[in-house]
Every structure is written in C-alpha cells, then in structure tokens.
Amino acid sequence: MSDADQAVRDVVKGASIVYVGLFLELLIAFVAQVLAARYLSVSGFGGLTTGTALLDLGSVVAGLGLASGLTRYLPRIAAAKKRMLAWTTVGATLASSTAIGVLVAFNAEFVTSMMFNDPSITPSIRIFGAAIPFAALLNLAIGGIRGQKQSLYQVYVKNIIHPVLRFVFIVVALTWGLGQAGFAGAYALPYVLSAAVALLLFHRTLPDIRGAFDWDLTEEVTRYSLPFTITSLSGFVYRSSDIFLILYFLDSTAVGIYGVAYAAVSFMGMFSTAFNFLGAPVASELESGGKVEEVMRVFRSVVRWLVVASVCALVPLAIFSTEFITAIYGSKYASGGLPLAVLAAGFALKNALSVHGPILEALGKSKVLSFNSAAAAVSNVALNLALTPTFGIVGAAVATSLSFLLRDGLAAIQTRHYLGTVPITWQGIGPAIVAAPLLGAFGLFVAPHVPATLPWLLVMSSLFGAVYVAIVMLAFGLSETEVMIIRSAEERYGVDIAALDWLVRRLS
C-alpha cells in the first residue's frame, strides 16, 4: 500500500472517529443550549452568548498559538524531545492565561459598562473571565493530542466529557433556578475539569523519555506558533466580532437571536472540522518526506464529500430555516431564520474551501495563514460596521459569510501558487453544480407544501439527501481512492458487501 493510500486510511479512520465525537458533542451541547435559550429571556441568553465569546477571545490570546505549534512539530521531532516541548508550552500557556483571566475577572464591571454599555451581563463576564486559563490549557492539550494523532482522546475530552458536563450543570442550574450567573457557571465549570483530563491524556501520549531542554527547538516552535495567535485572533474576529458589534449597535436580545442561529448552523462545521483534525498532521508528515502530490491525492479524495454533506445540510438550515429555528427554540427566536439561511450558505462554502488551510499549515506557511485570517478579520469588522446598523443581524450574518469566503479563497489561491495545483477538481465542483437546480426546485415546488413541524422537516431533508447522493453517484461514479476506502473497510471490519459489489464495480 502506498503512503498516500495509508494516509487516506488514517484520515478517514481518524475523521470517522472525530465525526462521531463531534456529532455527540454537538447533539449534547445543542440540547443544553436549547434548555438555556428556552429558560432564560432572550436578553439573558444574549449575555451568555457574549460571555462565551469573551472566553474564546481570552483563550486565543493567552494560547500564544502554541497549540498549532504542537500539532505541526510533534509528528516531526524525535521522541526524546516531545516531552520537553510539551511541558515547556504548558508552562508558557499557564502563565499567560492566568494573567489575562485575572485581568478580565477583576474588571468585569468596567468591561460591561464602558465597552458594551450593558451592565446586566456582568456576572457572565466575570465567571467566564475566571475560566480563561482552563480554556487555554484545554486548547493546548487538544493541539498536542492532534500532533500525536490520537483522535480518540480528542473525542473523549472535547466531544464527550466537556458537553456532558455542561449538560449536567445546566440541568442543575435549571432545576435550582440559578439564573444568568448559574448558567454562566454551567458553561464555564466544564473547562476546568476538561482541561485537567485533556492534560492527563496528552501526557499519556508522550514517550517516556526525558530529553534535555532544547532552546533551538523551543525558539523555532515559538517563531512558528506566534503568528497563529494572529491567525486565531483574526479567526475569532471574523467568527465572533459580530457578537460584540451586535451588542454595541443593537442589544443583548439581538445577540440572543443571532446566537441561536449561529449555534444551529454549527452542525455544518463538523464536516470540515473532523477532516482537518487529522488532515494537518498527516499532510505535514507526507510533506516532510517530499510527497506533495500524495498530499493532494489525500485531500482530493475528501473534498467531494464535504460538498455533498454541505448541500444536504442546506435543506433544513436554509430552505426551512425559520421553521427549523421556531420548532427547536420557540417562536421568540423566529426572526433568526434569515440569518440562519445566510450563515448556512457561508458554512457550505467554508467546508469546501477550508481544506487549503491544512495544506498551507503542512507547508509551514504560518505567516501566510496569519495574513489570510487578518484580512478576513478586518473585512468582517468593516462589513459589520457597514451592515449591522442598517440590516441588523442579517447584515452580521452576511459579513461573517463573506469573511469565510475571503479567508479560504485566499488560501486556495496561495495553494495554487505554491504547489501549482489545488485539491478542488471537477469531482468536487460537479456535485455543487448539480445541487443548484435541485435546491431551487425543492425550495420552490416542494417546501411550501411541507408542514412546519420538526418530524416533517427531518423526513423531507432526509429524502432530498438520499435523492441527491444517488444522482451524484450516477453522474460522477466512485473514484479509485473511494473504492480503496470501501475495500479497506471490508478488510478492516470483516464486512461482506458482496451483494453490492456489482454497484461498486458499475460506479467505479
């Protein structure tokens, strides 16, 4: 078996594990969020959304980009140096995150009164500020686990333990009627326990070899990692600056409505997230051996299915967006339907184009990625300033979607520049072209006649997905790599699909 075939199998196996984990995480977190959104006022839920955004911001700044450094360098360095690098980065992250967390927690009233003009969210800001060190350490440990290619550990911590703890604490807050502060604690406390477990599991992945401190390696990793602070900070800006600007221009009620729309669309993000989890370290390992074309083969084999999955998700989240939000969160959030549809379109483009980021990461182009993220962040803020005062949360959704397109579009152009090729080919573009008339016909002629209940929405979305996948298969068939994956699954799990062999042969 070639290195590329093995890499594809590694990515598919790891992504499959992460997909399951992400689905469990999103499902549990989704139920917990629905409970919070229905129990709290729309304004109170907006305060909770603002607090989580501030927590993300603090953990990004405090992390110094070192999680990305571990992801890239752990697969490349000798075993004797891994433990030294791991605990050096842990110490640096702990120091920086503690300083930032204390600063935010003790100045929560200033932040809410002077910056957001909404003192009602002070309890959320103070609690989430205190959780910043734990969020930063959790992110670092996950970055190290990625570098060690231990996707199962990622699932344990981030996809199961963390959301389950959040759900349990939210039920406690709901049962005891603890209000906004109680729900903020229910969101923040899981970071404390999850960080401890993640660090323990990360420690278990490291070889039991204690190497001497390597200043040159530490300096190299730091130089590589620091630009990712800008990348991550910029990523936060184009993902979450709209939260703060909506709060500034509108109010916490608008933040709450926008927050449920963004949370609903987050299910789409798991498609590319699962692939990129192992895509970056696998691509780095292949690239370090000079096998760039095999990197492309690995990525091309996945792009088509990112497109197909995204198109299927557009039915409930875009065509039935208002009905979906009303059925899940209640009629008080119905105005989030149009922003949800806009965000769903943006996430669909993001899923297909985001594969270029891990390629640039594997090539060591951290400064290029920083530039892309910074450009997207600046455009997001500018568009939000221009659109949010006039168009409200719909304008914020447009700004976020366009910033995704700018960031990932730049990465595609740069990948073409550096390698002379990109992973997006006709096999990926074709299904998107086929989807356009199908979605249009479904939205015009079928959707208006579907009852606005959750079971009907799910049934009709599933039927559309089945028809669409069948059309894609008949029109484009199975690639050589996809056939290899099917055969590998048969061999790995001892599954006999002889009855379908004729179909596989016909489509290949």
Side-chain angles (χ1 to χ4, degrees):
M1 177 178 294
S2 70
D3 290 339
D5 286 343
Q6 185 58 51
V8 170
R9 294 182 69 173
D10 289 344
V11 169
V12 171
K13 178 183 176 183
S16 298
I17 294 172
V18 177
Y19 272 130
V20 173
L22 277 173
F23 181 77
L24 290 174
E25 175 192 1
L26 289 172
L27 181 62
I28 297 168
F30 185 69
V31 174
Q33 187 207 47
V34 170
L35 291 175
R38 286 183 172 271
Y39 175 80
L40 295 172
S41 65
V42 179
S43 176
F45 185 74
L48 198 65
T49 302
T50 304
T52 56
L54 185 65
L55 175 62
D56 290 341
L57 174 61
S59 63
V60 164
V61 174
L64 305 175
L66 293 171
S68 296
L70 290 179
T71 298
R72 182 171 192 262
Y73 278 87
L74 284 177
R76 305 167 76 102
I77 62 177
K81 298 181 178 181
K82 292 187 177 186
R83 187 177 293 266
M84 177 279 300
L85 179 62
W87 297 115
T88 299
T89 57
V90 168
T93 301
L94 178 61
S96 61
S97 61
T98 300
I100 293 174
V102 169
L103 185 66
V104 172
F106 280 94
N107 292 279
E109 291 183 2
F110 171 80
V111 172
T112 56
S113 300
M114 301 301 294
M115 298 178 65
F116 300 143
N117 195 30
D118 190 351
S120 68
I121 64 173
T122 298
S124 292
I125 299 302
R126 178 170 288 114
I127 291 170
F128 283 114
I132 286 175
F134 304 99
L137 289 171
L138 174 60
N139 291 340
L140 180 75
I142 293 298
I145 289 170
R146 283 185 68 197
Q148 294 292 82
K149 297 189 287 186
Q150 294 291 333
S151 55
L152 195 57
Y153 284 171
Q154 140 104 0
V155 171
Y156 288 157
V157 178
K158 198 170 186 296
N159 305 135
I160 297 178
I161 294 175
H162 188 85
V164 166
L165 287 173
R166 177 186 293 181
F167 179 80
V168 170
F169 289 141
I170 282 180
V171 170
V172 171
L174 183 65
T175 302
W176 290 90
L178 300 181
Q180 183 188 146
F183 277 88
Y187 270 69
L189 282 175
Y191 284 97
V192 179
L193 300 175
S194 299
V197 175
L199 288 171
L200 176 63
L201 293 177
F202 178 37
H203 175 76
R204 290 183 61 180
T205 69
L206 300 171
D208 192 20
I209 305 174
R210 300 182 182 276
F213 180 77
D214 188 332
W215 174 256
D216 291 336
L217 174 61
T218 303
E219 184 179 8
E220 182 181 351
V221 173
T222 303
R223 283 200 309 268
Y224 173 81
S225 300
L226 287 178
F228 278 99
T229 303
I230 300 174
T231 303
S232 300
L233 182 58
S234 300
F236 169 83
V237 170
Y238 64 69
R239 288 192 311 269
S240 303
S241 64
D242 39 13
I243 296 295
F244 298 119
L245 291 172
I246 290 170
L247 183 63
Y248 180 79
F249 285 119
L250 304 174
D251 52 33
S252 55
T253 298
V255 172
I257 295 172
Y258 186 80
V260 299
Y262 201 99
V265 83
S266 63
F267 274 97
M268 288 185 72
M270 77 176 185
F271 302 145
S272 55
T273 299
F275 164 67
N276 291 337
F277 177 81
L278 277 188
V282 166
S284 178
E285 191 171 24
L286 287 175
E287 186 274 333
S288 66
K291 300 168 183 175
V292 173
E293 182 52 40
E294 296 194 356
V295 173
M296 283 295 119
R297 182 182 164 193
V298 171
F299 281 65
R300 284 171 183 152
S301 66
V302 179
V303 168
R304 173 163 69 162
W305 294 104
L306 291 177
V307 171
V308 170
S310 298
V311 168
C312 293
L314 286 176
V315 176
L317 299 179
I319 293 178
F320 294 121
S321 58
T322 301
E323 294 84 353
F324 183 83
I325 275 193
T326 302
I328 297 294
Y329 294 100
S331 59
K332 62 184 178 181
Y333 293 100
S335 58
L338 184 53
L340 172 58
V342 173
L343 288 169
F347 268 74
L349 291 170
K350 172 181 174 288
N351 280 337
L353 293 174
S354 66
V355 297
H356 299 92
I359 295 174
L360 293 175
E361 189 175 346
L363 294 174
K365 303 298 182 181
S366 57
K367 292 181 180 179
V368 172
L369 290 168
S370 296
F371 171 81
N372 295 348
S373 294
V378 170
S379 69
N380 182 269
V381 172
L383 288 168
N384 266 294
L385 291 172
L387 299 176
T388 302
T390 303
F391 300 102
I393 57 177
V394 176
V398 171
T400 295
S401 297
L402 289 177
S403 66
F404 284 150
L405 180 60
L406 176 62
R407 181 200 63 173
D408 296 325
L410 284 173
I413 294 170
Q414 291 151 353
T415 300
R416 177 83 178 186
H417 170 73
Y418 289 116
L419 300 178
T421 184
V422 291
I424 296 180
T425 61
W426 173 248
Q427 287 287 325
I429 297 173
I433 295 174
V434 169
L438 287 177
L439 287 170
F442 187 87
L444 289 173
F445 302 113
V446 179
H449 305 290
V450 176
T453 63
L454 188 59
W456 270 105
L457 300 183
L458 295 178
V459 168
M460 295 308 296
S461 299
S462 300
L463 286 175
F464 175 90
V467 171
Y468 173 61
V469 170
I471 292 173
V472 169
M473 287 290 89
L474 291 173
F476 302 100
L478 292 170
S479 69
E480 179 183 340
T481 301
E482 289 160 354
V483 173
M484 182 274 294
I485 292 172
I486 293 172
R487 299 307 183 197
S488 296
E490 288 183 284
E491 176 187 342
R492 172 67 176 82
Y493 298 106
V495 178
D496 183 8
I497 58 171
L500 297 178
D501 275 354
W502 67 271
L503 181 60
V504 172
R505 290 194 299 269
R506 184 178 180 85
L507 294 176
S508 60

